[in-house]
Amino acid sequence: MSGTSEGPAPTADLIQPAVTESDEMLSSGTTPDALTPPVDFRSAFSAAPLAMAVVDREGLVVSANEALGALLGAQPGVLAGRLAADLVDLASDARTWHAYREVLRGRQARLRCTRRIKHPDGHAVWVQVTVGPLPDRAEAVLLSVSDISARRELQARLRHLQMHDPVTKLPNRTLFFERLSSALEADAYAEGGTGRIGLCYLDLDGFKAVNDTLGHRVGDRLLAAVAERLNRCADEAGYARASAPLVARLGGDEFALLVEDSTGTEQLADLAESVLRALQAPFDLSGQRLSVSASIGVVERRAAGTTATGLMQAADTTLYWAKADGKDRWTLFDPERNAHRMTRQALASTLRPAIERGEFTLEYQPLVGMEDGRLRGVEALVRWNHPQFGVLTPNRFIGLAEEDGSIVPLGRWVLATACRQARRWQVEHPDEPPLFVSVNVAVRQVWDSDLVADVAETLAETGLAPHLLQLELTESAVMGSAGRPLQALQALSEMGVGIAIDDFGTGYSNLAYLSRLPVSVLKLDGSFVRGFQYDGSDDKAVAPNPADEVIVEAMIQLAHRLGLTVTAECVETSAQATRLRHIGCDTGQGWLYSRPVPPDRISELLGPPEVQAAVGNP
């Protein structure tokens, strides 16, 4: 659109209706339906307090009233012939400019927009601009401009109150996420800048104790003092940079420092260090001298592909790590550690349904007599055939099962499956000495279920003799047994079921207490057995650790005097087996003999003596 129009410019007569034949008819008393009474548009236009101008279809001001002249700081006559779009800044953005031209062309009925214009004396004025058709005047439109500066100022004050924390005067959670979302929009980092974003998410250590002991008023003063120190840290970090980090209070004693266009983890680490140092100095609050510390989760990454939710989840996780690692420190987000945490959560959420879906299987590891190398029994080891993570060993999920109680139904399934399999081997190989099966039991199974009843029912259903079942409990669980757990162990022992202490030697064994427990087997922890390894390329044995030998030999002798048998775990070399056999160990278990295998592989090992001896004759 050009700044001038061809032909003579329209005059102010446009706002004064021309006298027509219909008007003459009206004065003589004739009133056709299609006509309306005449109106003195010129008088109304001039006297109106609303700033207005008549604009032709080319966008030029035809006439302006006194109110518009006062608003723009110019005489109304001077405004005539000027582009209306220039007067109220309608061409500053493409969308408004297009809508304005559509109104001029008659393709759109009305335009309403808000603009910030500059008064000739220098101050800015916020106005609401409306452009619409004039009644019965196809050749012009009416532009009206209202001063909304006072309303905008009120809205700004209200927004500030809505977006800032009343205690610390910092931006609140709403404004923080608005700023974060804006920083993560593609336009924010597409041109210029580093294209990266960083966040320090901190929580005051022990703030709840301040509120509980000294009251919320002191707590609020402490939060305000912390905010002042955080602001100073942000100002120092922003020195000689394009902008300082945004400091916000997200709620409670949680604060965040958002770094746009970060330069890397080093910048965020320096900021976190400065925050920790700033908070180390005591706070003097109206006679109260308080000391606090903070835990900080630090995240720094590329803005592209990052969401506000994802960034905050990473920061929250890292803050939790900082607290778990000892508080009063900062911790950097670790993708591998987070992946492990996410995997753990995924496993925990699907554990119970997996039991119902039958995703668990058992493998069996042979327990071999040290004297003759014959297969005596097997330990049942549960595996989870996870549809996403593959085959998982017990260390990946047993702890989770104990935490959420699913160890009880899982333990029942393991017990029943292992006993059923042991009985099947016995039936399929009637000429061979029957194998006993050893099943691990968590102490929570004793507390949360009737283990004695479960075992009795399982033995009755499968037909397995009680002496062919051995239950393994960890040393810490057995040594702490009292009340119901001890009664359960005694009842199981009286039933004929063997009781074994797993990982013996790793805890604080009360040997006098051990003599009164219904235990029949000690399983030496593998850490002792590893001290028996022999190396040497010429098959010449290197002397083992003397201390391990003395300790193990003493434990074996003590166990035998108490009427217990001893199983050595993690036997991996024939040299270990030889030495263990010489000092009186009864049975061995480990990769020297066999890894955990499916039940059909155990069936293959049940055969003539020469076959069994081949399993692991050292």
Side-chain angles (χ1 to χ4, degrees):
M1 182 183 299
S2 63
T4 59
S5 58
E6 296 181 1
T11 67
D13 292 337
L14 283 172
I15 63 173
Q16 172 65 44
V19 178
T20 64
E21 182 180 355
S22 298
D23 293 326
E24 294 175 355
M25 292 172 62
L26 187 65
S27 61
S28 63
T30 305
T31 313
D33 294 340
L35 300 179
T36 57
V39 179
D40 189 353
F41 287 108
R42 182 183 296 278
S43 299
F45 180 81
S46 301
L50 177 64
M52 294 183 291
V54 175
V55 180
D56 68 15
R57 295 293 178 175
E58 296 298 321
L60 296 175
V61 174
V62 176
S63 62
N65 67 359
E66 293 289 342
L68 182 62
L71 181 64
L72 300 179
Q75 291 297 321
V78 176
L79 300 179
R82 295 186 57 182
L83 285 171
D86 292 345
L87 298 178
V88 288
D89 192 30
L90 295 181
S92 60
D93 72 84
R95 184 175 180 181
T96 301
W97 175 239
H98 173 74
Y100 174 60
R101 288 186 297 172
E102 291 293 287
V103 173
L104 292 180
R105 294 167 182 168
R107 299 173 183 172
Q108 180 173 319
R110 187 175 300 275
L111 165 67
R112 177 172 292 174
C113 62
T114 300
R115 282 293 180 269
R116 185 173 183 266
I117 62 178
K118 200 167 186 179
H119 195 275
D121 66 6
H123 74 275
V125 180
W126 282 98
V127 296
Q128 185 175 81
V129 180
T130 303
V131 183
L134 273 170
D136 300 327
R137 299 296 177 186
E139 66 273 26
V141 296
L142 180 66
L143 179 144
S144 60
V145 185
S146 57
D147 186 347
I148 60 170
S149 299
R151 189 172 74 192
R152 290 281 300 196
E153 183 179 351
L154 177 60
Q155 289 174 342
R157 287 200 300 268
L158 292 175
R159 174 175 167 79
H160 186 275
L161 291 174
Q162 292 172 348
M163 296 294 184
H164 287 76
D165 171 50
V167 175
T168 63
K169 312 307 179 187
L170 293 175
N172 62 14
R173 189 180 191 89
T174 302
L175 181 54
F176 170 80
F177 275 99
E178 184 178 289
R179 177 81 169 265
L180 175 59
S181 299
S182 177
L184 292 175
E185 291 178 357
D187 294 344
Y189 54 81
E191 297 180 5
T194 64
R196 303 187 68 84
I197 195 164
L199 178 64
C200 288
Y201 183 33
L202 68 96
D203 176 276
L204 299 181
D205 301 326
F207 178 74
K208 184 177 184 299
V210 174
N211 265 346
D212 292 345
T213 58
L214 300 177
H216 289 275
R217 182 172 298 179
V218 174
D220 286 350
R221 287 203 294 265
L222 176 59
L223 291 174
V226 167
E228 289 180 8
R229 295 191 185 182
L230 295 180
N231 273 327
R232 286 201 297 269
C233 292
D235 291 341
E236 293 172 2
Y239 180 74
R241 295 183 182 273
S243 62
L246 171 72
V247 183
R249 181 188 177 199
L250 303 187
D253 59 337
E254 296 177 0
F255 296 84
L257 290 90
L258 178 66
V259 180
E260 299 179 52
D261 284 325
S262 61
T263 57
T265 56
E266 185 176 350
Q267 179 189 2
L268 271 295
D270 289 343
L271 178 59
E273 285 284 359
S274 70
V275 169
L276 291 180
R277 287 195 302 270
L279 298 180
Q280 285 173 353
F283 292 84
D284 292 316
L285 304 173
S286 303
Q288 297 282 353
R289 189 173 177 84
L290 301 176
S291 295
V292 296
S293 61
S295 300
I296 307 175
V298 177
V299 183
E300 201 280 338
R301 57 179 56 170
R302 290 186 59 82
T306 297
T307 64
T309 301
L311 187 67
M312 291 306 299
Q313 285 177 342
D316 185 64
T317 297
T318 314
L319 173 59
Y320 170 80
W321 294 342
K323 284 192 172 293
D325 292 343
K327 302 181 180 180
D328 192 18
R329 68 191 64 219
W330 63 270
T331 299
L332 184 65
F333 180 74
D334 180 357
E336 291 186 6
R337 186 175 180 181
N338 185 61
H340 178 75
R341 181 187 70 90
M342 296 298 290
T343 301
R344 193 174 190 275
Q345 289 179 343
L347 294 179
S349 64
T350 57
L351 217 166
R352 283 184 180 272
I355 299 172
E356 300 172 0
R357 290 193 297 265
E359 294 179 2
F360 292 88
T361 58
L362 291 184
E363 290 185 341
Y364 301 88
Q365 188 169 29
L367 296 162
V368 177
M370 301 296 289
E371 281 295 330
D372 55 11
R374 295 286 300 269
L375 184 61
R376 301 291 178 81
V378 293
E379 179 181 356
L381 298 169
V382 64
R383 304 286 187 260
W384 184 356
N385 293 322
H386 196 281
Q388 180 180 355
F389 303 114
V391 179
L392 303 178
T393 53
N395 64 308
R396 296 289 302 277
F397 59 85
I398 288 298
L400 297 174
E402 292 179 348
E403 289 177 11
D404 70 1
S406 58
I407 190 66
V408 173
L410 179 60
R412 287 197 187 103
W413 178 86
V414 171
L415 177 67
T417 304
C419 290
R420 192 177 302 113
Q421 183 59 59
R423 178 58 179 159
R424 185 177 298 118
W425 285 322
Q426 186 179 5
V427 172
E428 292 174 352
H429 302 274
D431 299 331
E432 301 297 329
L435 299 180
F436 72 86
V437 63
S438 190
V439 176
N440 291 278
V441 175
V443 70
R444 185 163 182 178
Q445 291 177 253
V446 184
W447 282 109
D448 292 2
S449 66
D450 192 342
L451 181 62
V452 177
D454 289 344
V455 170
E457 181 179 352
T458 299
L459 293 176
E461 289 180 354
T462 60
L464 186 68
H467 73 278
L468 295 179
L469 173 63
Q470 176 176 283
L471 300 180
E472 294 187 22
L473 289 90
T474 61
E475 179 182 351
S476 58
V478 175
M479 287 304 170
S481 296
R484 182 176 177 180
L486 180 57
Q487 294 170 6
L489 294 181
Q490 290 173 336
L492 291 167
S493 179
E494 292 170 2
M495 192 187 299
V497 175
I499 306 295
I501 299 180
D502 196 12
D503 300 328
F504 185 77
T506 58
Y508 299 96
S509 302
N510 185 328
L511 298 180
Y513 185 57
L514 176 63
S515 66
R516 296 192 293 271
L517 286 173
V519 173
S520 54
V521 178
L522 298 184
K523 297 189 72 174
L524 297 181
D525 186 70
S527 60
F528 293 104
V529 178
R530 292 188 186 97
F532 284 76
Q533 283 199 347
Y534 290 79
D535 296 314
S537 58
D538 298 328
D539 294 331
K540 293 181 180 179
V542 176
N545 187 324
D548 282 344
E549 285 199 43
V550 171
I551 293 172
V552 172
E553 187 171 4
M555 286 194 294
I556 291 174
Q557 291 176 359
L558 175 62
H560 286 168
R561 290 190 178 187
L562 293 174
L564 310 177
T565 60
V566 179
T567 298
E569 299 180 303
C570 301
V571 181
E572 298 178 356
T573 67
S574 59
Q576 288 174 315
T578 299
R579 184 59 187 158
L580 287 165
R581 185 172 63 253
H582 287 165
I583 62 177
C585 188
D586 301 292
T587 55
Q589 176 182 2
W591 287 4
L592 172 66
Y593 307 110
S594 174
R595 296 171 181 261
V597 294
D600 56 348
R601 181 73 179 104
I602 299 296
S603 297
E604 296 174 4
L605 301 178
L606 288 169
E610 59 272 15
V611 175
Q612 289 198 30
V615 174
N617 188 355

